[in-house]
């Protein structure tokens, strides 16, 4: 395995772990989230091209941001409903 | 001017997404085996402290503070993962007499004096007791200016300008440091404490203290008489005609 491959592999595993961690609070449950996340990563495991893998990591980063935003909005709306609506 | 010393008191509460259940004796809300997290309004205060620093306001230190059971350490770790530099934990076990807003304010006064803080940013209220008193009482005890329900904070040199949310609009106030600020919902969007940051936060210092270290022995002044769930919403009724409606309204005492 070349050096570049190893760093990419490390990056993929890191983002996978971060996404898994985010899933603990997923509204539809961790099991729902985990199986889907696993499938999404497994479906890309055939990628060998460096550029393609980098694109995949970028997409994972994007999804991570989306999930964080989802959590923020969910909480913001709940609090607004409780404290702000007169 | 040396940097500001910011104190951010936070509270561990039942998670906002959990429906609270009243215990059988109707004396309190069930807290055992219920998911807890940081009070959402306190997340806003931590975030605001970090954002002030990111906006190049000279901040020497951001200290997170919490009083509560051992598990409160988790939320202090979260606060440090978000960006607080260190934290202080005053251990108040669940079997001990619980602190009331006045007790917390007295404790915070001691902490402010000990830490020589210049700015205290609190959540406007906690989502469990909804007392919305601690910040105001602390300002009173310290004799500091306060800005409650902040939706925008600006600091230039020693002057703080805060936009507050009030009924039907906003109010802008200006005061000199030191100062107390309590946060409202629209102040900012708290960042997510990511996994690597939580790992890094484990290395940040967390000081454990007790009420006795601050020379306090607070006994509760309030007695909880009864805790009940709100009555379930009753469904509406259909009326056949105008007369029916009028009689219904009269029945309800609306006419």
């Amino acid at each position: 395995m070349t050096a570049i491959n190893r760093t990419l592999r490390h990056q993929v595993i890191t983002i996978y772990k971060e996404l898994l961690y985010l899933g603990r609070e997923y509204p539809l449950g961790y099991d729902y989230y985990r199986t889907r996340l696993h499938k999404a990563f497994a479906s890309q495991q055939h990628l060998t091209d460096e550029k393609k893998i980098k694109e995949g990591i970028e997409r994972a980063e994007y999804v991570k941001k989306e999930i964080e935003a989802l959590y923020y909005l969910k909480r913001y709306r709940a609090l607004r409903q409780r404290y702000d609506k007169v | 001017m040396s940097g500001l010393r910011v104190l951010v008191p936070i509270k561990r509460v039942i998670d906002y997404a959990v429906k609270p259940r009243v215990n059988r004796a109707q004396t309190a809300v069930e807290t055992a085996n219920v998911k807890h997290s940081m009070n959402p309004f306190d997340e806003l205060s931590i975030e605001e402290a970090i954002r002030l620093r990111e906006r190049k306001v000279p901040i020497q230190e951001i200290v997170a503070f919490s009083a509560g059971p051992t598990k409160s350490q988790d939320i202090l770790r979260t606060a440090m993962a978000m960006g607080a530099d260190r934290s202080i934990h005053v251990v108040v076990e669940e079997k001990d007499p619980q602190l009331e807003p006045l007790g917390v304010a007295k404790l915070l006064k001691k902490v402010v004096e000990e830490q020589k803080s210049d700015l205290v940013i609190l959540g406007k209220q906690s989502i469990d007791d909804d007392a919305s008193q601690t910040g105001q009482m602390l300002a009173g005890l310290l004799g500091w200016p306060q800005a409650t329900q902040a939706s925008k904070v600006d600091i230039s040199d020693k002057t703080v300008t805060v936009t507050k949310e009030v009924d039907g609009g906003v109010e802008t106030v200006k005061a000199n440091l030191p100062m107390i600020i309590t946060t409202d919902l629209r102040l900012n969007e708290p960042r997510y404490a990511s996994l690597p940051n939580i790992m890094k936060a484990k290395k940040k210092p967390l000081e454990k203290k007790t009420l006795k270290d601050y020379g306090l022995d607070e006994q509760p002044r309030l007695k909880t008489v009864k805790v009940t769930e709100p009555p379930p919403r009753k469904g509406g009724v259909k009326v056949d005609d105008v007369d029916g409606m009028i009689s219904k309204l009269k029945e309800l005492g609306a006419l």
Side-chain angles (χ1 to χ4, degrees):
Chain A
M1 204 192 279
T2 56
I4 179 86
N5 254 337
R6 219 169 288 145
T7 48
L8 277 179
R9 184 182 159 78
H10 180 71
Q11 279 174 12
V12 171
I13 292 172
T14 310
I15 186 78
Y16 182 69
K17 277 187 187 162
E18 279 175 27
L19 282 166
L20 260 189
Y21 177 77
L22 267 176
R24 296 175 316 156
E25 291 172 43
Y26 199 70
L28 291 171
Y30 186 59
D31 286 335
Y32 175 94
Y33 180 93
R34 197 178 57 90
T35 45
R36 260 146 234 264
L37 180 69
H38 188 88
K39 235 189 246 166
F41 271 72
S43 71
Q44 303 296 315
Q45 65 172 347
H46 60 275
L47 292 183
T48 46
D49 183 19
E50 192 190 321
K51 206 172 134 238
K52 283 269 162 56
I53 296 176
K54 276 189 178 152
E55 275 173 18
I57 294 172
E58 239 163 68
R59 200 167 80 206
E61 294 280 356
Y62 174 76
V63 171
K64 190 179 130 198
K65 261 190 230 147
E66 289 280 292
I67 295 170
E68 284 176 10
L70 166 81
Y71 290 165
Y72 168 71
L73 271 178
K74 186 167 172 270
R75 190 178 55 204
Y76 173 79
R77 286 182 182 143
L79 287 171
R80 198 174 61 125
Q81 190 78 31
R82 282 176 216 171
Y83 290 103
D84 246 27
K85 288 258 174 82
V86 188
Chain B
M1 180 177 118
S2 65
L4 287 174
R5 303 170 67 90
V6 185
L7 180 71
V8 186
I10 57 179
K11 186 175 183 182
R12 175 176 175 265
V13 298
I14 294 180
D15 191 77
Y16 81 96
V18 175
K19 192 180 182 316
R21 300 257 169 234
V22 175
N23 67 7
R24 213 171 278 153
Q26 294 200 320
T27 51
V29 168
E30 208 60 76
T31 53
N33 300 322
V34 174
K35 188 185 169 205
H36 282 67
S37 51
M38 194 195 306
N39 179 30
F41 290 110
D42 298 342
E43 271 181 39
L44 291 157
S45 24
I46 292 272
E47 177 69 26
E48 190 58 20
I50 303 161
R51 287 199 184 190
L52 284 172
R53 174 182 270 168
E54 284 168 356
R55 264 187 267 143
K56 305 276 180 256
V57 173
I59 287 180
Q60 190 189 334
E61 194 174 42
I62 301 172
V63 181
F65 170 90
S66 190
T70 318
K71 281 183 182 160
S72 300
Q73 282 183 10
D74 298 349
I75 62 157
L76 287 170
R77 295 265 175 234
T78 312
M80 289 192 284
M82 287 170 77
D85 300 313
R86 60 186 179 91
S87 47
I88 303 169
H89 178 211
V90 170
V91 186
V92 181
E93 287 301 342
E94 267 161 55
K95 58 183 191 321
D96 299 340
Q98 292 301 299
L99 286 170
E100 289 164 359
L102 181 61
V104 178
K106 282 181 179 167
L107 175 60
L108 284 173
K109 179 175 183 262
K110 300 267 183 193
V111 177
V112 165
E113 283 162 0
E114 182 199 52
Q115 301 295 325
K116 301 190 176 56
S117 315
D118 313 283
L119 181 66
V120 186
I121 311 180
L122 306 93
K124 69 165 176 175
Q125 64 194 133
S126 65
I127 60 167
D128 53 357
D129 290 336
D130 283 325
S132 191
Q133 295 168 348
T134 309
Q136 290 88 327
M137 284 179 174
L138 177 62
L141 288 174
L142 285 165
W144 288 8
Q146 58 171 322
T148 53
Q149 270 107 286
S151 66
K152 191 169 183 291
V153 176
D154 263 320
I155 300 182
S156 62
D157 203 20
K158 284 249 164 204
T159 316
V160 188
T161 313
V162 181
T163 307
K164 304 166 50 184
E165 298 211 0
V166 293
D167 283 348
V170 292
E171 182 180 61
T172 308
V173 294
K174 211 186 242 185
N176 286 338
L177 290 167
M179 184 165 182
I180 310 277
I181 297 174
T182 72
T183 59
D184 207 339
L185 194 52
R186 266 175 292 278
L187 182 60
N188 55 43
E189 300 88 43
R191 67 198 62 189
Y192 199 85
S194 68
L195 185 57
N197 284 342
I198 294 224
M199 291 305 172
K200 276 181 220 154
K202 288 192 174 156
K203 294 207 183 80
K204 291 187 179 178
L206 191 154
E207 217 178 323
K208 251 191 176 176
K209 297 219 170 186
T210 59
L211 283 176
K212 284 206 186 82
D213 293 339
Y214 289 101
L216 282 172
D217 185 21
E218 272 304 303
Q219 290 304 318
R221 288 158 182 254
L222 301 170
K223 193 176 146 207
T224 303
V225 182
K226 197 178 174 190
V227 180
T228 53
E229 285 188 20
R233 220 182 105 98
K234 292 194 193 90
V237 280
K238 266 189 178 167
V239 289
D240 299 325
D241 48 17
V242 178
D243 288 342
M245 183 173 78
I246 290 172
S247 66
K248 261 280 178 242
L249 285 172
K250 273 189 181 151
E251 211 174 285
L252 292 166
L255 278 179

